[in-house]
Structures are given as structure tokens and as C-alpha cells.
Amino acid sequence: MEFVAHPNELPLKLTAIEDQHFPPCNSERTGFAGITYLTSCAFDSGACVEVTLEEIDPNFCVCGRVAWCNKEEGGYLIAIEFPTQEACYSVRMVEQLSQIEHYRRRAKNEGRRLNYNEAAAEWIQKFAAQFPAFTL
């Protein structure tokens, strides 16, 4: 399973969900499984969370499960897996948009002004081949 590090400057809203149940994940699964994110509060492994990302898509809302949570400097690094095909596909698409926005902002900090389409074209050329494929 592969997790993509979500850019910290694009804040996720994570809300614990008490009564959500997911089918067990196959530990031998390959490809994109979810995201990692540095958050200020700890979550128990196995806990279900609702994930929203208003800055990229105000309508984006998906449920995932905390695969692990590790104390790090500055907070807790958590991995969130998305066990259903629909959620995993949605998150992978939104995460690519997040990575492109992160790339655009980094270019701006380096003195390069790119619009979103220019940033997307450069990111795709440089990084899309390394982005984990969707397999479930």
C-alpha cells in the first residue's frame, strides 16, 4: 500500500466518526491506499474519520480509516486509508489537484508565477509518472 504525503499548507479538516464501518483492507494491496497528514491531535489506529478539503473542493467529503498515528515534532503524523473503491478514487484525484496547487505555490515562492494550468502541465510532466496508481 502506498500513502501520499498531503501538503500541510492545504489544511484538511478531520472529524472522528463513531459509527462508520469499513470492510477489512487486503494487506497485500498495492498502489494508492491513502494519504499521510500532520495534524495537531492524535487519532487511534482503526478510527474512522471524515475528511474535507475546502480549499481544493468545497464539496469534497469522504470517509477513511486511520491506518496509523505517530507522534512527531509539531504534531501527529497520521496515515488515512480509503478502503472503498469510490473513496480511494476520489481521494487520489483530489490529492493530485492538491499536489499541483502545492507545486504552483512553491514555484511562486521561487519567483515564478504560474497559473493553475501551467502548474498542472509542469507537474504532470515531472511527477505524474511517480504518483501511485489506483489499484484496489
Side-chain angles (χ1 to χ4, degrees):
M1 293 192 290
E2 294 184 60
F3 292 90
V4 172
H6 179 79
N8 287 333
E9 77 268 12
L10 299 170
L12 294 174
K13 181 179 176 191
L14 304 174
T15 307
I17 302 172
E18 296 298 322
D19 60 351
Q20 180 74 35
H21 300 285
F22 290 108
C25 284
N26 179 350
S27 61
E28 296 177 12
R29 178 171 137 187
T30 61
F32 180 84
I35 58 175
T36 61
Y37 182 65
L38 187 64
T39 184
S40 60
C41 57
F43 287 87
D44 292 331
S45 292
C48 294
V49 291
E50 179 181 83
V51 180
T52 58
L53 179 57
E54 288 199 17
E55 194 164 338
I56 296 296
D57 181 354
N59 298 312
F60 177 75
C61 180
V62 66
C63 293
R65 176 175 41 221
V66 176
W68 47 261
C69 179
N70 296 328
K71 177 75 173 130
E72 301 250 327
E73 187 175 324
Y76 298 88
L77 185 63
I78 64 170
I80 305 169
E81 62 184 346
F82 300 94
T84 67
Q85 183 173 357
E86 297 80 18
C88 199
Y89 183 77
S90 274
V91 171
R92 185 177 181 274
M93 292 299 112
V94 167
E95 196 54 40
Q96 287 180 68
L97 296 174
S98 298
Q99 297 296 327
I100 291 166
E101 178 59 19
H102 172 70
Y103 180 84
R104 188 190 70 76
R105 290 178 184 191
R106 195 173 71 218
K108 182 179 178 183
N109 290 340
E110 295 168 356
R112 297 178 56 224
R113 296 229 177 239
L114 301 174
N115 66 35
Y116 191 83
N117 290 335
E118 293 166 335
E122 284 187 21
W123 184 88
I124 289 167
Q125 182 181 15
K126 292 179 178 182
F127 303 109
Q130 292 92 17
F131 201 82
F134 172 73
T135 56
L136 190 60

